[in-house]
Amino acid sequence: PAVTGTSTNTSPPLSGSITVFAAASLTGTFTELAKRFEAKHPGTTVNLSFAGSSELVTQLTAGAPADVFASADARNMARLTAAGLVDGEPVDFATNTLEIVVPPANPASIATLADLARPGVKTVICQAKVPCGSATVAVEKAAGVTITPVSEELSVTDVLGKVTSGEADAGLVYVTDVKGAGARVKGIPFSESGTAVNTYPIAALTASARPAVSAAFVRFVVGAIGRSVLAAAGFGAP
Amino acid sequence: MVAVAAVGALFVLLPLAAMATRVDWANFLALVTSESSVAALLLSLRTSVAATALCVVLGVPMALVLARTTFWGQRLVRTLVLLPLVLPPVIGGIALLAAFGRQGLLGHTLELLGIRIAFSTTAVVLAQTFVALPFLVLSLEGALRVAGTRYEAVAATLGARPTTVLRRITLPLVLPALLSGAVLSFARALGEFGATLTFAGSLQGVTRTLPLEIYLQRETDPNAAVALSLVLLVVSVAVVALTLRTVPGPAGAP
Amino acid sequence: MVAVAAVGALFVLLPLAAMATRVDWANFLALVTSESSVAALLLSLRTSVAATALCVVLGVPMALVLARTTFWGQRLVRTLVLLPLVLPPVIGGIALLAAFGRQGLLGHTLELLGIRIAFSTTAVVLAQTFVALPFLVLSLEGALRVAGTRYEAVAATLGARPTTVLRRITLPLVLPALLSGAVLSFARALGEFGATLTFAGSLQGVTRTLPLEIYLQRETDPNAAVALSLVLLVVSVAVVALTLRTVPGPAGAP
Amino acid sequence: MTLAFSASLAARGFDVTLDVARGETVAILGPNGAGKSTALEIIAGLLRPDSGHAEWDGTALFRLDGGPRGAWLPPHRRGVSLLAQDALLFPHLSALDNVAFGPRSAGVGTDAARATARTWLAEVEASDLAAVRPGRLSGGQAQRVAIARALAADPNLLLLDEPLAALDAAVAPTIRRMLRRVLEGRTAIVVTHEVLDALTLADRVVVMNRGVVVETGQTREVLERPRHPFTAELAGLNLVLGTRTAGGMAADWGELVAPAASIVRGAAVAAAIRPSAIEVSLEPLPGRDNSVPVTVIDLEPRGDSIRVRADSLSADVSPGRAAALDLAPGDRVFFGFDGEDVSLYGSERPSTLR
Amino acid sequence: MTLAFSASLAARGFDVTLDVARGETVAILGPNGAGKSTALEIIAGLLRPDSGHAEWDGTALFRLDGGPRGAWLPPHRRGVSLLAQDALLFPHLSALDNVAFGPRSAGVGTDAARATARTWLAEVEASDLAAVRPGRLSGGQAQRVAIARALAADPNLLLLDEPLAALDAAVAPTIRRMLRRVLEGRTAIVVTHEVLDALTLADRVVVMNRGVVVETGQTREVLERPRHPFTAELAGLNLVLGTRTAGGMAADWGELVAPAASIVRGAAVAAAIRPSAIEVSLEPLPGRDNSVPVTVIDLEPRGDSIRVRADSLSADVSPGRAAALDLAPGDRVFFGFDGEDVSLYGSERPSTLR
Ligand SMILES: Nc1ncnc2c1ncn2[C@@H]1O[C@H](COP(=O)(O)OP(=O)(O)OP(=O)(O)O)[C@@H](O)[C@H]1O
Ligand SMILES: Nc1ncnc2c1ncn2[C@@H]1O[C@H](COP(=O)(O)OP(=O)(O)OP(=O)(O)O)[C@@H](O)[C@H]1O
Ligand SMILES: [Mg+2]
Ligand SMILES: [Mg+2]
């Protein structure tokens, strides 16, 4: 990560377009980063494709043409590595932790994780099989709380959606989601969140037609600018 | 022309066949009889039947009014009623939330009446009805227009009251269209995913229908997802085929 | 009966109206004219038109063969051809990948020919065609059956060759159904989401159609999502209404 | 007066006033497109006129005169049963159930309705078709079932649009006889192209043309003394229109000798001459009161005779005579007939058409 | 022999052999459901018989005898044009374009085809309907356009199913005359319920009943000497079947005095008696060769006369005579006629029906 300064001076100017597959939770940050990368390296274009991480892995194994993959969890990156599509070692570039999310008015007066298990509170969480769901299970275990949700959503977005629309009293989502939703929700940090830290790895792909650009983009994300943009969105450092 | 038709048919059939080749037959039974799968299948069947019934109850009068009366703004109403066909289902779910959600237009009223729709099986049925209703209205209205009003007029001159005409002439004449519309509605309800997810949530045995279960399984076990898809497919085929068997083609065909 | 019809219409119209109330009108223009939104809308229109054309080209012969010939296994073929109506679109995407993907049934053959379908704009069109084709086949086949073969028989005795009969009698007679089938196909293609995402991906300007853009915006900017939904809705209404304006109801109605 | 009807419909150039007394059967005659079917459809309530009113036995069927007491009785409450020009049998019901439809709609139970239906099917000699679906009936068979269906509904007012058109020569007389029996004492309007139907079934005829009534009166009277060319054609008579002169009448093509009749000179008169009363000759016929030079247009073989159609008149000659004359279209010949063969009467239409 | 046709279709109890010579017009007569329309549909290629074969001018239209040389020519290649029992005008085309459809299909350009169509519309007196869509035509107007359409296709073989059924009395003679002119020299088959059509249009008639041919021959010959009750009814004749005796013939109900004829005793014979030749009396008529006691079934007013239908025979009497007799159904009366009014001939059907 310390080489960013020199490489641009010694290498020939980068050019060409690459396609980056990134987890949906990275939509805002990566759109920003792609813009900045293009500004820094005139002649390059970064095309972005966002979807759920597992969706993207399915697409990549089915032959989707891409140069870089940024996953929201290690498991999906591992699936891709196992398929032999990853060039070199994936690099972790961000982390994310869970936070309680409630409507701005906090109708159920939620303060702690234990409040989510109170009878009468409509809580939505992710189903255990999806990444945010496994994190939820981990914090529940750590806190010794058993939440009886009214819905086990298929993605963190759906959890957030249930809270922003006011259907649910509370939900468990990532810090970045709470930040992204702005004033439409209120985030309530809880102490046990540290027991389930989700790591975001990024890697260039073997199929890349422009390995130099791909590698540069990975470095860019991992580098200082990437850090600051990601931090601004609420991501933690790896 | 037959060649083009064959190409068209292949275009649809090939992917279906290809998917069947992906099924892990060795574990098929285990995959599809897991508790969560069975719960999802049963829930799907139950809600789809309810949604189809609701479609028939609401859709038949709608088709009749659209086909047999003229009123100001009819074309607009007709177009709007067909919109759920077009809307990406997730948007449909958002719209349903905006209307029937806790903070929706009717939310307060419903709350006062003690009716809670969100996160209930009722919500699933409503979401399915919302997306499936246009199928029924569309097939039936078309059939009603094609059938025309001549037989109904004759029946009226024979002294039949409007309800008698409806029961003994109109409905029997368009029965094939009604049946095929109901089958389509059922099928669409059975496959409904996006609106359900957004509007009803996903809880095993309550709101997690088969398509949602398939989506979930895909996350961890693509084999299970494919196997379940095949189940969904077979159920649909069975329903469609069974119903069409009882329909001998348009009544009155020469 | 009219009351029930009104309830049905309200059930569909209320959510749509409710959604319209959610639009952030102040920023509406800015939201819908962002680069990515415009790119998505244009891509959606382009691919939907292409998909509709493909649906007509493939679907008309299919409907004709289904309605005008009898062959062994016809009912099965008919049911299978209608399956994409039922299938959750995501499953449709999986099936398409299984057939046309790199590791699909035809993947190797296509690769040898230098054809890459998946994750290209072509894939979007194919996905849309896959889900929209049954709409066209269904409306047209129904209309053909209802129209019957009597006029075609008369035309033949007047010396018209089968192609002439098709061009001058059959197609004009079912033109309303063909048009409404095409409109439905277009609408379904325009709203297609699940199969596109799975089979074509979500790359701006290449495969990210309006529904995908809406889905994506929903994660970050729900206002934009609602605004875009409204755009999609208006475009659909416009297409449906415009097309139906030119169709005066079933030809030959009394 | 049981039915008092008056309606106009601009889109079809229709403007008709018509009355039918209780128990009376009226035949409507007229060329294609005259508006006969239109009249029946308006009375049955299937078509809405622009304006007009109709009353049945004191009850308004419709009243669309723009006044405050507008009314529109729906078809099923009119007690009017219409046999349309095409049979329109319900395709999903058997012939028997088609006929039973009317009684069932009146509230009769299934079995009783079927029994009634069976009786009517027998009346139209279609008992063996009871179980057949309409799709499998021949044109005439369908027509018979449709007649039975209209009758089984036991309407107050029966409207029949060309009921016997598709029937074969063997069954038509039987059904005509049955209709005559059934219509006895009933109020009915029958549209027909057949004089025989009018003669056997109708008490009175109404002749329509281009949407309006051109003649009306007792059947025999109208058919024996036609005032409109169409009626004359239908009745098989030559009609000559002109003005009364001392010796007879003046027609376009000359003077016609006719018997004395108490019609003032100069009045508009009509003369009816039976084609069989006319002698055809290649030479003038001085022995006859009238000897009219004509040009042959056509020869039409009929059962016992051959009809010679000429520009102004037609004559019937025996096949032997025709052979002797060796006529061909275009030939100039003379038609001769006596004054006593000419039936002369005023051609003024009665000022009020009943 | 241009058309040689033989086909059977069990589902409709149809089994017919029929030949038509080039330039000949054949009329098919028969009661409802006799299979007339079925015959035309099979010839046109719209209906497939179970077995049989048909040849047109040496070309096989179909050959379904199970042999190796099976054949089935599609309808559009048969050069056969069918005017069906219902007009079936294409609803999306104007009357003009309906008529122009045949010429257009034969490859004629739009303008030329329209010109042809205009000519034919004029022939059926429907020029003013050229621009009208079928939905707005009256029953008879549609029928006229359909006739024009069938003729404009200029077929080798023309099949007309009750072409004049819906036409009014004023236009029917014109169109019948036009058809006669058009059919001159053409090969055609006309289904009709009208004797007049058969007499004016047809060289030969074929009488069908229950799916089979029961009589055939020159039109006049068949109608004057009917051998089948339906034919007699159609021709308006009384038909008596029996066996030849010395003085005449023995019928069911007794002996009939008839003129000498060279028919051997004991042979099956038929007698035709015109209703107008029969005298009706309340007393026996010893002055007549035949005086038959009958029961009156019905009285049917006709133009000049009243037809008295009785159990075995029918008689025509003048209205005056009818009034004098004061007849009513059920009355027992005597029908008298002389031997010379009886036309006696063998009733054996010719062994081979042409
Ligand atoms: N649906 C319609 N729309 C407009 N005009 C029509 C329609 N149907 C019939 N007409 C016109 O109205 C006039 C009267 O038609 P109608 O059917 O009453 O005639 P009709 O006397 O029954 O003739 P026909 O003896 O041929 O059955 C005709 O000139 C016809 O062209
Ligand atoms: N689609 C059908 N399926 C089965 N049987 C039929 C069908 N159409 C007609 N038939 C039967 O075939 C027989 C012959 O019918 P067809 O239509 O040829 O009679 P037709 O001589 O034309 O009579 P009409 O004078 O009434 O028109 C009838 O007994 C009829 O019931
Ligand atoms: Mg009419
Ligand atoms: Mg027929």
Side-chain angles (χ1 to χ4, degrees), chain A residues 54 122 151-152 162 167 169, chain B residues 101-102 116 118 197 202 219:
Chain A
S54 57
K122 289 180 182 274
S151 181
E152 297 175 332
K162 294 292 185 304
E167 291 305 304
D169 296 326
Chain B
R102 200 144 53 141
R116 278 282 186 92
L197 186 62
S202 159
E219 201 72 29

Side-chain angles (χ1 to χ4, degrees), chain A residues 54-55 58 75 122 124 127 129-131 149-154 158 162 165-169, chain B residues 97 101-103 116 118-119 193 197-203 208 212 215-220:
Chain A
S54 57
E55 177 79 55
T58 307
R75 193 168 52 89
K122 289 180 182 274
V124 284
Q127 214 275 344
K129 283 180 179 164
V130 299
V150 291
S151 181
E152 297 175 332
E153 301 293 340
L154 306 186
D158 292 315
K162 294 292 185 304
S165 67
E167 291 305 304
D169 296 326
Chain B
L97 273 181
R102 200 144 53 141
Q103 284 163 25
R116 278 282 186 92
F119 306 117
F193 170 75
L197 186 62
T198 311
F199 181 55
S202 159
L203 194 65
R208 190 179 299 146
L212 269 64
Y215 192 84
L216 190 64
Q217 294 285 1
R218 231 177 117 232
E219 201 72 29
T220 52

